[in-house]
Amino acid sequence: MAIMLGDNQYGKAETRVVRTVRDTDRHEIVDMNVSVALAGDLSDTHLTGANDKVLPTDTQKNTVFALARDGIDSAEDFGLRLAQHFTGGQRSIDRATVTVQEYTWTRHGDHTFSRSDGGEHREVTVVNDNGASDVTVGLRDLLLLNSTDSEFTGYIVDEYTTLAPATDRILATAVTADWHFSETDVDWTKAFETGRTALIEAFRDTYSLSLQQTLYAMGAKVLEDLPEVDRVTMSLPNRHHFLVDLEPFELDNPGLVFHAADRPYGLIEGTVTRK
């Protein structure tokens, strides 16, 4: 039986870096979680234990901090700089993947900020493969809810179906979305805000007959508003809200009181692309 090494990579995951800008009394803050994965001519370390082509993961961590010292214009620019540094500086490294999660702090003064743990955040993935860069930008846990303008009817009914048709329901989701750029000469900050706004506006403006329909409308809106994007991939969990039966208490419930279910939940996923 022949045994061989397949695709492999290694790196430093989740280096937390906070960069402040203190040029004036009004400070700025950037908070990121940076993961690096390197691939290339690395078979020897797996097959023989030789480490002469391995850049230590501790060095990768230090590189993140050192390049942050020079300044961070955007998550995308920082990811591009890091990926290009690793592939340009090491002959054994052909591909570098840098993933940057960026957390937003709310300003409460010149040097006071607040941030809730978890919640929505920006995510950027940069791949530099033999000198060519590829950028995907997106967000995680964008919570959206429509209190009406959503229904779900006309579905398959079999012997196990108990779900009643809904002609006026709450539609809620926690959006995971990624949009892939066909170029890298981009105003990254403006593009991210445009993409985020497009998702929200499409969710708001679509009378939803299914979450699948809403997913397509959201992806199409991003493509319409960002010509430099060639595809949008989304994952939309259906955060179910069930109407509570108040009849045991001799009360009606005309779409007023709901139970927000945690799990199980429907999960709708898809990619919208240009032709």
Side-chain angles (χ1 to χ4, degrees), residues 18-30 68-69 71-72 107 110-113:
V18 176
R19 174 63 158 85
T20 60
V21 180
R22 304 163 63 93
D23 298 338
T24 68
D25 290 340
R26 185 176 175 84
H27 296 173
E28 304 290 340
I29 190 167
V30 178
R69 173 63 180 84
I72 300 174
R107 179 182 294 281
D110 287 345
H111 54 264
T112 303
F113 306 84

Side-chain angles (χ1 to χ4, degrees), residues 4 17 34 38 68 113 143 152 158 175 183 209 235 240 260 262 272:
M4 61 182 295
V17 55
V34 182
L38 306 181
F113 306 84
L143 301 181
F152 187 56
D158 67 7
V175 180
E183 56 188 84
L209 300 177
S235 176
H240 299 295
D262 177 51
V272 184

Side-chain angles (χ1 to χ4, degrees), residues 1-180:
M1 178 179 66
I3 299 174
M4 61 182 295
L5 177 67
D7 292 341
N8 62 90
Q9 61 182 17
Y10 80 106
K12 200 68 163 182
E14 300 197 36
T15 297
R16 285 301 302 272
V17 55
V18 176
R19 174 63 158 85
T20 60
V21 180
R22 304 163 63 93
D23 298 338
T24 68
D25 290 340
R26 185 176 175 84
H27 296 173
E28 304 290 340
I29 190 167
V30 178
D31 185 355
M32 294 180 170
N33 197 24
V34 182
S35 295
V36 176
L38 306 181
D41 183 15
L42 299 168
S43 298
D44 288 349
T45 191
H46 289 274
L47 302 178
T48 70
N51 294 320
D52 56 299
K53 297 177 181 177
V54 173
L55 182 71
T57 65
D58 190 68
T59 303
Q60 298 172 35
K61 174 204 69 179
N62 293 340
T63 303
V64 171
F65 292 136
L67 268 63
R69 173 63 180 84
D70 295 336
I72 300 174
D73 293 331
S74 68
E76 292 87 349
D77 285 324
F78 190 54
L80 284 164
R81 286 172 55 209
L82 282 168
Q84 290 164 1
H85 171 88
F86 289 122
T87 58
Q90 304 296 327
R91 294 181 61 184
S92 60
I93 304 302
D94 298 329
R95 186 180 74 244
T97 301
V98 178
T99 302
V100 181
Q101 297 170 324
E102 182 177 7
Y103 307 101
T104 300
W105 289 79
T106 301
R107 179 182 294 281
H108 299 285
D110 287 345
H111 54 264
T112 303
F113 306 84
S114 68
R115 182 175 76 84
S116 299
D117 288 339
E120 180 189 348
H121 62 273
R122 180 176 181 174
E123 184 160 309
V124 174
T125 300
V126 175
V127 179
N128 187 291
D129 194 344
N130 288 299
S133 294
D134 184 88
V135 180
T136 301
V137 179
L139 48 76
R140 304 291 181 267
D141 292 326
L142 169 62
L143 301 181
L144 297 176
L145 182 149
N146 280 333
S147 58
T148 189
D149 284 352
S150 174
E151 58 183 77
F152 187 56
T153 64
Y155 45 80
I156 294 173
V157 176
D158 67 7
E159 65 270 30
Y160 301 117
T161 301
T162 60
L163 182 70
T167 57
D168 185 7
R169 66 172 183 170
I170 287 178
L171 182 67
T173 189
V175 180
T176 291
D178 292 297
W179 43 98
H180 178 264

